Amino acid sequence: MTAPALEPLTQLLNYDDLPETWRVPDAGRFSVEKTLYDYQTDALQKAARALFLYYGKTHDWAAGESLETNAERKKDFADLYRDFPVSYLKKYESRADERNRNESQVFRILSDFIRPWGDLISYHNLINRMCFWMATGSGKTLVMVKLIEYLHCLQRHNEIPPHNMLILAPSEHLIGQIRRTVDEFNQSGLLIDLVPLREMHRGRQARLGEAVTVYYHRSDNISDVQKDALTDYRMYENGGKWFILLDEAHKGGKEDSKRQAYYAIMAREGFLFNFSATFTDKEDIVTTVKKYNLEEFIKNGRGKNIYLNEKEYEAFKRKGEEINYSERRKIVLKSLLTLGYVSMRVKELRRDTGLAQLYHLPLMLTLVNSVNTDIENAQNDLWAFFQILREIATGEIDEALFRDSKDELITDWENAQPLFGGHSGGVTGVGENFIKTLKVADLREAVFLSRRKGALQIIRSGDNKELAFQLRNADSPFALIRIGDTAKWRNKLLVGYEETTTLQEKSFFDGLEKSAITILMGSRSFFESWDSNRPNVINFINIGGSDAKKFVVQSVGRGVRIEPLPNQRCRCSRLVLEGEEKKAVDTIRDGVQPVETLFLFATNRKAVKSVLEGLETERTAAFESLEGFQKAPIPKIHGREMPLLIPEYRDAPKTASRLPFSLSAETKLRFEEWLARTSDAVLAVRDGLAPPQIAELHEMAAQPANLTVESGKHYARLPFLQSRLMSHLSKTAKVSDSVREINDEDIVHFQQIRAFPEHVRELQKKIENVKQGRASNQEIGDLAVQLASEEITRENFDRKVAGQTTETFNDLLIKKLIGHYYLPVALGNEKANYIQHIIKVESEVRFVNALEAWVDKEDIPWDAWMFSKLDESLDRIHIPYFDDSVNDYRRFKPDFVFWMCRKNEYRIVFVDPKGTEYATAYRKIDGYKTLFTQSGKSRFFKHRPDWRVSVNLLFYNPSGQPAQAYQRYWISNPESIFAPDTE
């Protein structure tokens, strides 16, 4: 199966070890209002490592180098791929085969610029590319814009060629979204000047400095002719010296395949960056540098879980007859009941917590492939949906249909099929009794916005693309149709409905996020550039055709976004809250799943097929889950299980401390002079600052400790710097004054260990062999007690403990590890890209081996202990630290956490085996010291009456040579972890 090869290739480099000029500038910052999420910064850092491999390592780029040198660079870069166990590269070759006319055309196009070898275009000629496979809603446009800044920075430092940059997107909608994102970014130091491609030959050229010109064009207008909207690529080919950024510009039919050749030609001496929510071609998947697709997005808690109605799923698997009209009506009603229940559940959650902004107002999407206005055939389209709406509105709904639909719905939820992760036991947290007692009037109130029955009324706006529906006795519309042209609908299907025209100028659709509308109907026309957290139900009606799968993925991607609280874009279980918000949310965590679910319904077999096949393309085809990794027994102390503790964090009072802000000496001087010239009245009137804010701003500028100097931290626009400072002043320091026991959400990566499907069966057998072959942690603990009391000899103890089963697979070692949080443990190496979320980074493997060797021959000087690997992409345990390079807090996620106790002494020890980039490590240590030390000594926390808890941080590096002030935090052997406090 095809799997990304470039992403694991980047793991050969430690980002912290890159030269300073190759780091992403202010990696976490985007604009005044936005900072990047960890997966977005990870995408940029992986791109940086890939570009360094290409331009800085295989053949270090130098100004004036020849085309032959660049060709050698491509060959060497392609050779790096072949170190991985993938066989897909040979498949990415355009053959001059007349049996496939389109491939023949592509070959001829490429061969005009790239010298073929026989009848092949060798893969290495097209290796200068990377793909960002990121889900709809994951913010890939932000990553693309931030990448432009990074490329510009590399050009200024003469690390990459000074080629022009070009954005290609397939629609005005996407170009508009890119424009808005750039406008937001332009409030920062660098200005991105977007220029139409056709102005390139009119004197507007890219320039280096405080602004960078980036050209843009419609990707579907790139052609081999020059006329009207079409643009001949040869007129702008520029010797292949482009950095091209494709935004959803890689898909399509035969004509689009030719365009892919045009893009490759234009970027042949530069680089091609491909951004999309869906990739299916092998060459795109293999060259993916960051995969955070729909599956990853959901499994990492960033989106709603997806469930398909159980009855339709089972019927499709049995390949039964097409759904009849009566069943179709029932499906529609069940989808409305689902929407009604979720809407009422949100109101309950808000009432119970007192949080008015908790979650969203649920919305149903009813989507069609085409809008059928033929009344005789309307049963195949939206007609059944409209009939149910009308019958509920007027109170004419059949009571038996309503009762049977409720009964089936409960069963459907209990057996619903999770499409990515989720609970295999169906949707939990659903009130069965609530559904059974639900009345038509309750449904009408939740969905139609009125308990009283009444006729449906049509509301027309000035936009012919919209029709709204409202109960005559209601105060606002509950449904909206958004299609290309509503005239046919009104004239053929809605004859006899009362109609009125609204005077509002703004469209209903534009105000949908804050609207009471609960149902949105239409085709795909509104999906591009539409962002919403609201969808909880999607009805796919009459979905079919060649591109139906793409439409399904796109629409589902638009529906999975979630935001339980403002700016908290993850599911409730992944929220990290403090104070009263935490207390409130903790009370409802077990009952939120319906609100955090996207329910899919389909009214015909083709639609079900499109849903399943479309989402299957998003599944990580190269990986399947491995089972058998389970929590180990926790050792006991004082007659009870040892608690596994981690620190808790909260914001300090704003007046308690002020965080420093770093900027260059030149910028600091310019800002101080600018602020001195600006009167307080101007700051108040022009910038809307209150007197206390103005005083804080002057105080910060006057205190040298508040503004620290760091070279390279330039701000071109002083008003932007002022806004950044005001935002910075609102930030507070993190403090820790308590610890808590870990929960099931803190360490989860062992539940998501996955491998290539062809290896799963054999690996499962080996995992099971290991599980059955060695004493458990509890048994080892019992043996240790017997050894201490001299009931058994050391030799007997060693023999019993060593009687373990260790299994190998390729370079993989599967074994039980004494003291580890879950068993068994899999250790590999960085080339083991056929398995995910195991211990395979070289420094981590080296540490585990050293630890195991020491534990096997030494007596641990603690009554009980345990440790666990931590996965920074999935687990929540962290240490916050202030990073002055970005003037903000980051989360440091060490690779391991240890717990140990004796009598009433308890230690938490975080261990990170990397620690080779000292500047970054020093910031992390400083952050640790601020939180967990006082006057050079460890602080102690109380847990239960008898535990005295300390928190420690150590970097494991046998050859490390840190600065004198930080040496105590570096260890070269595992024994130091169990030694007395380092402070």
Side-chain angles (χ1 to χ4, degrees):
M1 294 219 178
T2 310
L6 182 55
E7 187 168 21
L9 188 63
T10 64
Q11 303 303 322
L12 297 176
L13 291 173
N14 187 340
Y15 177 78
D16 290 339
D17 291 336
L18 291 181
E20 187 67 33
T21 55
W22 280 92
R23 312 275 183 80
V24 179
D26 289 342
R29 174 189 59 79
F30 186 80
S31 67
V32 176
E33 300 294 332
K34 290 179 182 175
T35 56
L36 298 183
Y37 291 108
D38 52 0
Y39 62 85
Q40 293 170 319
T41 57
D42 182 63
L44 289 164
Q45 290 175 357
K46 284 177 176 172
R49 285 181 279 189
L51 285 170
F52 179 75
L53 284 172
Y54 187 77
Y55 281 114
K57 193 171 180 68
T58 53
H59 281 274
D60 193 9
W61 180 82
E65 71 175 22
S66 65
L67 296 181
E68 288 74 16
T69 300
N70 195 46
E72 291 174 5
R73 176 181 292 114
K74 288 183 178 182
K75 289 179 181 178
D76 290 344
F77 190 62
D79 286 341
L80 293 178
Y81 279 76
R82 295 187 173 93
D83 289 336
F84 286 79
V86 290
S87 59
Y88 321 114
L89 300 180
K90 293 182 179 179
K91 296 181 181 179
Y92 182 39
E93 294 171 335
S94 299
R95 295 181 177 273
D97 187 346
E98 292 299 334
R99 289 174 298 176
N100 188 323
R101 183 173 180 275
N102 189 55
E103 284 192 5
S104 176
Q105 288 180 329
V106 171
F107 174 85
R108 285 195 292 269
I109 292 169
L110 289 171
S111 60
D112 285 342
F113 295 88
I114 299 171
R115 184 178 178 181
W117 179 66
D119 64 346
L120 300 177
I121 299 293
S122 179
Y123 179 78
H124 77 262
N125 287 291
L126 306 170
I127 197 67
N128 53 325
R129 66 201 309 274
M130 66 176 72
C131 295
F132 297 80
W133 188 1
M134 301 180 68
T136 300
S138 63
K140 60 181 178 294
T141 306
L142 274 66
V143 175
M144 182 175 70
V145 173
K146 189 73 176 176
L147 179 63
I148 291 171
E149 178 193 42
Y150 176 58
L151 293 173
H152 173 70
C153 182
L154 291 176
Q155 288 178 335
R156 290 184 62 184
H157 288 100
N158 295 314
E159 299 286 6
I160 63 174
H163 297 337
N164 292 340
M165 298 185 216
L166 171 64
I167 295 174
L168 295 174
S171 70
E172 294 299 334
H173 290 291
L174 282 175
I175 289 176
Q177 179 181 341
I178 293 167
R179 276 191 168 282
R180 291 189 294 272
T181 305
V182 167
D183 288 343
E184 182 179 1
F185 177 82
N186 277 349
Q187 300 305 311
S188 64
L190 176 70
L191 295 177
I192 296 176
D193 184 18
L194 288 179
V195 177
L197 177 62
R198 287 193 170 186
E199 292 193 15
M200 179 181 175
H201 297 317
R202 299 172 187 169
R204 292 188 67 172
Q205 294 289 324
R207 60 189 185 279
L208 299 179
E210 295 299 341
V212 56
T213 297
V214 178
Y215 297 101
Y216 70 91
H217 200 65
R218 284 272 296 268
S219 57
D220 55 344
N221 287 339
I222 297 292
S223 181
D224 54 4
V225 296
Q226 184 82 7
K227 63 178 182 180
D228 299 329
L230 296 180
T231 299
D232 189 340
Y233 75 97
R234 288 166 295 197
M235 293 183 62
Y236 300 91
E237 175 264 329
N238 197 35
K241 297 178 179 180
W242 281 103
F243 289 123
I244 295 182
L245 301 100
L246 302 177
D247 188 5
E248 299 290 357
H250 66 290
K251 300 184 287 267
K254 292 183 177 180
E255 190 62 32
D256 290 274
S257 296
K258 291 167 60 178
R259 290 194 180 97
Q260 303 309 309
Y262 304 153
Y263 309 151
I265 289 168
M266 294 176 72
R268 67 188 184 278
E269 303 299 336
F271 215 92
L272 191 66
F273 304 91
N274 202 343
F275 292 80
S276 180
T278 55
F279 283 123
T280 56
D281 293 340
K282 289 183 173 66
E283 61 267 28
D284 293 327
I285 296 173
V286 169
T287 56
T288 290
V289 74
K290 175 63 178 180
K291 184 171 73 61
Y292 202 71
N293 63 347
L294 186 60
E295 181 189 29
E296 298 291 332
F297 190 68
I298 292 171
K299 284 190 173 182
N300 282 282
R302 292 287 181 181
K304 302 183 184 87
N305 283 309
I306 304 174
Y307 284 85
L308 179 64
N309 179 275
E310 186 265 346
K311 189 171 183 179
E312 283 78 69
Y313 180 83
E314 291 299 322
F316 174 75
K317 288 203 303 184
R318 292 192 301 268
K319 300 186 183 301
E321 296 180 358
E322 185 55 77
I323 303 172
N324 60 41
Y325 183 63
S326 176
E327 285 296 312
R328 193 175 300 133
R329 283 167 51 81
K330 190 179 289 185
I331 291 170
V332 169
L333 184 53
K334 286 194 287 187
S335 69
L336 290 168
L337 285 164
T338 301
L339 174 66
Y341 174 75
V342 177
S343 297
M344 288 182 272
R345 186 73 184 119
V346 169
K347 291 180 181 179
E348 286 182 343
L349 294 174
R350 289 180 174 181
R351 183 193 63 223
D352 293 345
T353 60
L355 299 173
Q357 291 183 294
L358 187 67
Y359 288 108
H360 50 273
L361 296 175
L363 179 74
M364 173 193 285
L365 303 180
T366 298
L367 305 175
V368 295
N369 197 46
S370 61
V371 181
N372 192 338
T373 58
D374 184 347
I375 293 179
E376 292 183 2
N377 295 322
Q379 288 183 355
N380 294 326
D381 210 329
L382 283 175
W383 191 246
F385 187 81
F386 261 97
Q387 287 298 95
I388 290 292
L389 289 184
R390 185 189 61 77
E391 291 169 14
I392 294 174
T394 59
E396 300 171 20
I397 191 73
D398 182 83
E399 291 184 7
L401 174 64
F402 191 74
R403 182 182 62 251
D404 291 347
S405 296
K406 290 196 297 180
D407 291 342
E408 283 189 16
L409 185 61
I410 294 170
T411 302
D412 287 347
W413 275 344
E414 290 175 348
N415 301 291
Q417 299 296 318
L419 298 183
F420 297 124
H423 298 275
S424 58
V427 182
T428 61
V430 176
E432 180 177 336
N433 292 332
F434 186 91
I435 298 296
K436 287 182 176 179
T437 58
L438 189 71
K439 297 180 174 59
V440 176
D442 299 324
L443 179 61
R444 204 158 36 227
E445 181 179 18
V447 177
F448 293 70
L449 311 180
S450 174
R451 289 189 67 85
R452 293 181 297 157
K453 58 187 177 183
L456 287 178
Q457 184 180 27
I458 301 173
I459 303 175
R460 294 174 56 187
S461 67
D463 186 350
N464 284 329
K465 296 180 179 180
E466 293 186 356
L467 287 178
F469 291 81
Q470 179 175 324
L471 263 64
R472 186 180 297 168
N473 54 33
D475 296 327
S476 59
F478 72 91
L480 175 68
I481 290 181
R482 175 80 171 179
I483 53 179
D485 187 357
T486 61
K488 289 183 178 179
W489 269 84
R490 297 199 319 273
N491 296 336
K492 291 192 175 183
L493 295 183
L494 303 177
V495 176
Y497 282 79
E498 182 180 334
E499 189 173 307
T500 184
T501 302
T502 180
L503 298 177
Q504 69 176 35
E505 294 182 2
K506 190 174 181 180
S507 77
F508 288 107
F509 182 75
D510 290 342
L512 192 62
E513 286 308 294
K514 297 181 179 180
S515 168
I517 287 173
T518 60
I519 300 173
L520 175 61
M521 296 173 277
S523 59
R524 67 193 64 198
S525 61
F526 58 82
F527 266 93
E528 289 181 342
S529 305
W530 181 60
D531 301 332
S532 178
N533 302 317
R534 293 191 59 190
N536 272 102
V537 181
I538 297 183
N539 265 321
F540 290 104
I541 296 179
N542 193 32
I543 298 296
S546 59
D547 59 350
K549 290 188 289 187
K550 181 180 72 175
F551 177 43
V552 165
V553 174
Q554 189 180 32
S555 56
V556 169
R558 295 292 179 189
V560 298
R561 300 169 187 230
I562 193 165
E563 194 170 4
L565 290 168
N567 301 316
Q568 298 279 346
R569 296 182 180 177
C570 61
R571 293 198 298 273
C572 183
S573 62
R574 304 291 286 174
L575 287 175
V576 179
L577 302 173
E578 298 167 349
E580 294 303 315
E581 271 192 350
K582 182 180 185 300
K583 292 179 182 178
V585 171
D586 282 347
T587 64
I588 52 98
R589 286 184 191 269
D590 294 335
V592 301
Q593 195 190 351
V595 185
E596 296 190 342
T597 296
L598 179 63
F599 297 89
L600 304 185
F601 293 84
T603 57
N604 60 61
R605 294 286 175 258
K606 286 184 178 179
V608 177
K609 181 179 180 182
S610 294
V611 169
L612 294 176
E613 290 182 350
L615 295 181
E616 186 64 27
T617 64
E618 283 297 289
R619 195 176 301 279
T620 309
F623 294 97
E624 288 183 5
S625 295
L626 285 171
E627 299 178 355
F629 296 94
Q630 299 174 342
K631 293 181 185 178
I634 297 175
K636 291 184 178 180
I637 185 169
H638 307 325
R640 62 187 181 190
E641 287 186 348
M642 178 180 71
L644 305 181
L645 305 177
I646 56 173
E648 289 191 291
Y649 308 107
R650 64 177 177 84
D651 290 332
K654 185 178 176 182
T655 56
S657 62
R658 174 156 289 160
L659 298 170
F661 188 94
S662 62
L663 70 175
S664 69
E666 177 189 351
T667 302
K668 183 174 183 292
L669 179 62
R670 288 174 54 231
F671 178 73
E672 290 170 346
E673 293 175 347
W674 177 80
L675 185 62
R677 295 195 306 267
T678 306
S679 69
D680 290 355
V682 170
L683 293 174
V685 176
R686 183 193 64 192
D687 301 331
L689 300 184
Q693 291 177 302
I694 296 173
E696 278 191 299
L697 189 63
H698 283 295
E699 181 186 349
M700 190 167 195
Q703 296 293 327
N706 293 336
L707 295 178
T708 59
V709 173
E710 182 180 340
S711 61
K713 295 283 291 185
H714 299 296
Y715 287 84
R717 303 179 65 196
L718 296 178
F720 169 73
L721 174 58
Q722 176 195 307
S723 67
R724 291 277 292 169
L725 284 170
M726 296 312 303
S727 174
H728 186 78
L729 287 169
S730 66
K731 296 175 182 176
T732 57
K734 299 289 184 183
V735 296
S736 178
D737 47 26
S738 63
V739 294
R740 65 170 175 83
E741 296 189 29
I742 65 170
N743 58 44
D744 290 341
E745 298 295 330
D746 291 319
I747 302 176
V748 299
H749 71 269
F750 65 96
Q751 299 167 348
Q752 298 194 35
I753 295 176
R754 297 176 293 187
F756 283 3
E758 58 264 34
H759 301 325
V760 166
R761 179 176 296 180
E762 186 175 355
L763 283 169
Q764 288 288 184
K765 289 181 181 178
K766 293 179 180 293
I767 291 168
E768 191 60 32
N769 289 343
V770 173
K771 287 175 64 178
Q772 300 299 326
R774 187 190 179 191
S776 67
N777 272 11
Q778 186 64 51
E779 292 169 331
I780 293 170
D782 293 339
L783 290 170
V785 172
Q786 295 175 40
L787 176 65
S789 62
E790 298 183 349
E791 294 179 40
I792 60 175
T793 64
R794 180 73 194 198
E795 181 180 353
N796 196 9
F797 174 86
D798 290 341
R799 180 176 56 79
K800 290 184 177 183
V801 171
Q804 61 175 300
T805 300
T806 299
E807 292 280 4
T808 60
F809 178 86
N810 293 341
D811 298 323
L812 203 64
L813 185 66
I814 304 170
K815 62 194 302 183
K816 287 186 178 179
L817 202 57
I818 294 177
H820 199 258
Y821 178 69
Y822 63 86
L823 297 173
V825 173
L827 299 114
N829 59 44
E830 292 170 331
K831 294 183 180 180
N833 69 327
Y834 54 86
I835 189 168
Q836 295 180 319
H837 303 304
I838 66 164
I839 302 172
K840 57 183 178 180
V841 176
E842 182 182 357
S843 59
E844 296 173 13
V845 174
R846 186 170 61 242
F847 168 74
V848 169
N849 289 336
L851 173 68
E852 185 178 34
W854 185 81
V855 168
D856 281 347
K857 66 181 182 179
E858 299 291 340
D859 290 327
I860 304 298
W862 294 80
D863 296 336
W865 70 283
M866 205 171 199
F867 81 108
S868 182
K869 170 74 176 81
L870 299 178
D871 188 308
E872 65 177 353
S873 65
L874 297 176
D875 300 330
R876 298 201 308 185
I877 298 174
H878 70 283
I879 300 175
Y881 72 99
F882 187 77
D883 187 345
D884 54 11
S885 70
V886 295
N887 294 315
D888 206 350
Y889 269 94
R890 290 188 185 274
R891 290 187 175 188
F892 167 40
K893 295 189 175 182
D895 292 317
F896 296 91
V897 58
F898 284 73
W899 303 279
M900 57 195 74
C901 55
R902 57 189 172 195
K903 297 182 181 179
N904 69 336
E905 182 183 357
Y906 190 107
R907 290 185 64 194
I908 304 168
V909 186
F910 292 107
V911 179
D912 197 285
K914 300 184 187 70
T916 55
E917 204 287 315
Y918 295 112
T920 301
Y922 296 161
R923 293 188 183 103
K924 295 171 181 176
I925 293 171
D926 290 340
Y928 155 79
K929 291 168 65 177
T930 300
L931 289 166
F932 300 114
T933 66
Q934 189 171 13
S935 302
K937 303 286 186 180
S938 292
R939 292 177 56 213
F940 289 94
F941 303 85
K942 287 186 177 181
H943 180 73
R944 299 176 181 174
D946 51 350
W947 293 111
R948 187 168 177 260
V949 184
S950 65
V951 181
N952 295 264
L953 172 64
L954 297 169
F955 287 89
Y956 175 80
N957 187 345
S959 60
Q961 295 294 326
Q964 180 68 34
Y966 296 93
Q967 282 186 0
R968 68 176 68 181
Y969 298 100
W970 255 260
I971 61 172
S972 58
N973 59 74
E975 180 180 3
S976 302
I977 299 170
F978 301 93
D981 281 344
T982 56
E983 293 292 349

